[in-house]
Amino acid sequence: MACKTASAPATPAAIHSGRVAASILQTSTSPAGTVGRVGSKRAQRCSWRATGCTASVQSIKWWHAKVDCVGMKIGQSWQPNLSSSRPIHGMWSSTLALVAGLTMAMVSAAEGRDTSARWNDANGPNGAHFGGSVNLNRGQPTVTPAEQADACSDLHNKNPPSTIVGLGHANDLESCVERASAHSSATTVPVCKAACWYRAPANKTLAQQCYCHVDALWMPKPDATVDSARLVWPCLDNSSCSFNGHCDSSTQACVCRSGWRGPACGELDLLPVSKTQQGYRPTNPDGSNVSSWGMPALWDATTGEYHGWASEMEYGCGINAWESNSRIVHTVAANPLGPYRRVAEVWPVFAHEPDVVRGPSGEWVMMYSGYPYNATGLAHVACTNCTDGSTPPPGTPNCPFQRGQPSSLGHKFQQMLAIAPGPNGPWTQFEIPGLTAGWDWNTALTINADGSAVALIRAGFVWHASNYSDASTWHSVGGSPEGPGWQGASVEDPYIWRDEAGVYHALAHAFFPFYGVHAYATPDDCPSDWTNGKPMNWTVTGVAYTDVIEFTDGSNISAARRERPHLIWGKEGTTPIALSNGVQPGGKPNEPNTDAVTTIVQPLRL
């Protein structure tokens, strides 16, 4: 079924909390200690508060302006003075093979919020406006500088490049921003969404050069030799607001729906976590930790509880032993934030990365990766020599298999789909052979009212089924077994839902560093025929959440890993109320003895 069909989105009543819906980054005043304009006029001082999180050029470990004076620095938002802009001598433009960075988004301009129920539909605020448009009367952008950050290139990214336009020589970031603003005002090409001034790069040919980034993606990379700035233009339509809000025609500013914030409504509006209500954090009878790795959770009106399904590591192991020790357990909680308690094992080892939604008749549908260890004689590869939720080094006795090595002990990852009449089962499952591989696909799905489904897998590849419960109808979208991925972001662990106007949304875990990003695809971005080889085109809006988690007692952690995102929805099924993640609080990714992980549920501002 084409996603332009009006009846495509399932109703909240039919698919309660099943992806039918529809900013971590504080967007208000500038942090204490920042000063007005940037570049040559910027005062050389810094007095941000440091609260256990530090920043460096190599890695960003700050949050809500609680940083030291090293690394990216956020300045006060301002508007360029176009009436007195310097002449642009020798201006030139070209498309360079530079790629948008994959790091933290900056503190952005103030935004409004609207809790009304009308969003994105033709009768809603400002209409749906799925099509693109060009407006020569763009007005002036609001500019938020990000010093020591490169928003125009990232060699780590292997996806197709975003569009970069060269604007010639500039003396400082401020003059670069003015060039970018003038360029956008004087042409009919897409406007500059970011300006990058290469102060003293290793590539000397870029020194003192100014570049304009026209892609909406805002993911600057820490770089001591580059200063960047985000340019937020008056919104034109709801696409300017990531379809997580509407464009207020009177103010030309985005008004974000509940749970979202930021100038483009692409950032989750997260609140601090209570340490007594963290999500799913089980312990053994002796008090030792049990590691878990993410959890979808849905409200069930019949039982009056939230039901979750978590990947849990057996024998006290951590995430390094996930391929040999992961099982799926059923959890429940009266409160969506937890604490959740285990009630049953649903699938034994090996079973991993469940995603659960509701079907068109109210059934419960689970996608997961599995392989029957015990039935195939591979039970002996399980790691049984773990302590307090952490895994010992490879080669340790009674722990023969970690992170796919040795390959002789590896196994296939069968893509399984299971259906149950209620959250307590019983579950009936079958394999989707086309998605069974030598690795896990991190599959997530959303089901439409007619039973068709769209699934996202690793890298943002898309699969579709005309009937989700018939394995023979599942196929890749885009003309190849894997199809095209997302442009501008290398991702895994996707989560997908569809709003009431038919717009698909997704969260995913991005690499380098491990932050979460948001993307959307409108009905116009979907193929008219899902089998004609045409791709589903996603727009990545930028960072939706970072690796820093704040707690209500004022403390915070900068997680080594924060992956497996799932939104938890309110009882009516249309308002996101929390974000669930698999989190490694400390250590380093893949490091032995520090790989204990947990499932944290963080509330959203309503």
Side-chain angles (χ1 to χ4, degrees):
M1 185 193 71
C3 60
K4 295 182 181 180
T5 304
S7 61
T11 62
I15 307 182
H16 191 75
S17 300
R19 309 292 198 278
V20 183
S23 324
I24 45 200
L25 307 177
Q26 291 295 336
T27 18
S28 53
T29 57
S30 300
T34 57
V35 292
R37 298 168 73 103
V38 297
S40 59
K41 298 180 182 180
R42 175 178 48 82
Q44 300 297 317
R45 71 183 180 90
C46 173
S47 60
W48 288 284
R49 294 172 295 139
T51 60
C53 291
T54 59
S56 69
V57 174
Q58 290 74 28
S59 62
I60 308 168
K61 300 297 182 187
W62 59 265
W63 186 240
H64 296 178
K66 300 174 182 177
V67 299
D68 59 14
C69 293
V70 183
M72 293 193 206
K73 301 175 183 177
I74 310 309
Q76 184 178 14
S77 297
W78 53 283
Q79 288 188 326
N81 183 359
L82 297 184
S83 62
S84 60
S85 295
R86 304 173 178 85
I88 302 179
H89 298 292
M91 188 172 82
W92 55 279
S93 65
S94 63
T95 301
L96 306 178
L98 301 177
V99 185
L102 289 176
T103 54
M104 164 176 263
M106 299 293 103
V107 179
S108 44
E111 88 288 350
R113 177 168 287 102
D114 190 335
T115 57
S116 67
R118 298 181 303 136
W119 292 100
N120 296 334
D121 60 358
N123 298 318
N126 211 26
H129 296 297
F130 293 133
S133 61
V134 175
N135 182 358
L136 294 181
N137 299 315
R138 296 186 177 106
Q140 292 188 3
T142 298
V143 179
T144 303
E147 302 175 57
Q148 301 180 21
D150 183 359
C152 294
S153 63
D154 185 353
L155 298 179
H156 292 294
N157 195 299
K158 302 299 189 293
N159 279 331
S162 301
T163 302
I164 308 295
V165 178
L167 300 179
H169 180 274
N171 293 324
D172 52 36
L173 179 60
E174 184 176 344
S175 60
C176 180
V177 167
E178 290 174 356
R179 286 172 181 269
S181 301
H183 171 78
S184 301
S185 299
T187 68
T188 58
V189 299
V191 298
C192 296
K193 303 298 177 59
C196 305
W197 179 61
Y198 288 75
R199 185 182 339 101
N203 183 350
K204 301 302 181 184
T205 62
L206 298 179
Q208 305 293 300
Q209 293 295 309
C210 173
Y211 292 91
C212 157
H213 185 196
V214 302
D215 195 298
L217 181 68
W218 172 250
M219 301 179 75
K221 171 187 176 182
D223 192 324
T225 69
V226 186
D227 291 335
S228 298
R230 187 179 192 181
L231 281 64
V232 179
W233 295 85
C235 62
L236 301 178
D237 53 40
N238 291 350
S239 67
S240 302
C241 309
S242 308
F243 294 101
N244 287 324
H246 73 269
C247 179
D248 188 325
S249 58
S250 62
T251 63
Q252 288 192 282
C254 289
V255 180
C256 302
R257 67 188 304 169
S258 180
W260 296 92
R261 67 176 303 141
C265 302
E267 303 154 12
L268 286 170
D269 195 1
L270 292 165
L271 295 172
V273 179
S274 169
K275 289 184 176 179
T276 62
Q277 201 176 37
Q278 293 186 44
Y280 181 56
R281 191 173 183 177
T283 58
N284 289 311
D286 62 2
S288 60
N289 291 314
V290 175
S291 281
S292 66
W293 190 235
M295 178 185 69
L298 284 68
W299 167 254
D300 176 47
T302 301
T303 59
E305 293 179 302
Y306 279 86
H307 293 257
W309 290 266
S311 298
E312 185 180 277
M313 310 305 135
E314 285 193 315
Y315 300 113
C317 293
I319 193 62
N320 288 355
W322 68 276
E323 291 180 71
S324 58
N325 287 53
S326 179
R327 64 174 183 164
I328 293 174
V329 299
H330 177 203
T331 69
V332 297
N335 189 300
L337 305 180
Y340 287 79
R341 59 182 176 84
R342 183 197 310 120
V343 293
E345 177 184 83
V346 181
W347 307 112
V349 174
F350 166 77
H352 196 59
E353 296 172 342
D355 188 57
V356 180
V357 299
R358 301 294 295 272
S361 298
E363 69 271 26
W364 299 69
V365 181
M366 179 190 300
M367 279 270 206
Y368 75 97
S369 291
Y371 194 72
Y373 258 35
N374 292 332
T376 54
L378 287 176
H380 68 281
V381 307
C383 185
T384 59
N385 189 19
C386 299
T387 304
D388 201 26
S390 296
T391 313
T396 301
N398 300 316
C399 197
F401 180 65
Q402 289 187 40
R403 302 181 56 245
Q405 297 298 322
S407 58
S408 60
L409 296 180
H411 57 82
K412 291 192 301 182
F413 293 83
Q414 292 178 317
Q415 185 64 69
M416 306 303 296
L417 191 148
I419 304 172
N424 295 309
W427 295 90
T428 301
Q429 65 174 340
F430 58 87
E431 181 183 0
I432 301 176
L435 281 169
T436 291
W439 53 87
D440 61 322
W441 279 122
N442 309 147
T443 309
L445 81 162
T446 183
I447 302 174
N448 297 311
D450 65 350
S452 64
V454 175
L456 273 178
I457 63 176
R458 186 186 295 274
F461 302 144
V462 178
W463 277 60
H464 179 267
S466 57
N467 177 0
Y468 85 90
S469 62
D470 182 350
S472 67
T473 70
W474 282 96
H475 62 90
S476 64
V477 175
S480 69
E482 296 178 1
W486 289 358
Q487 180 171 327
S490 296
V491 298
E492 65 172 6
D493 289 345
Y495 168 83
I496 182 174
W497 72 99
R498 196 176 188 192
D499 70 22
E500 60 273 27
V503 178
Y504 289 94
H505 295 261
L507 296 174
H509 157 238
F511 295 101
F512 309 116
F514 296 136
Y515 294 153
V517 296
H518 169 263
Y520 69 81
T522 71
D524 290 339
D525 295 320
C526 299
S528 57
D529 179 353
W530 289 95
T531 63
N532 65 5
K534 300 295 184 181
M536 183 178 184
N537 298 312
W538 289 85
T539 297
V540 184
T541 61
V543 175
Y545 61 89
T546 71
D547 62 359
V548 178
I549 301 172
E550 291 193 331
F551 296 95
T552 53
D553 63 3
S555 64
N556 57 44
I557 60 170
S558 182
R561 300 171 69 174
R562 186 180 192 183
E563 307 175 24
R564 300 296 302 155
H566 289 89
L567 288 179
I568 298 176
W569 302 86
K571 296 179 181 179
E572 86 295 340
T574 59
T575 302
I577 58 176
L579 171 69
S580 169
N581 289 105
V583 175
Q584 181 180 341
K588 297 179 181 179
N590 306 323
E591 184 179 66
N593 297 320
T594 65
D595 64 328
V597 293
T598 188
T599 298
I600 291 182
V601 175
Q602 186 165 6
L604 296 172
R605 191 184 311 275
L606 301 180

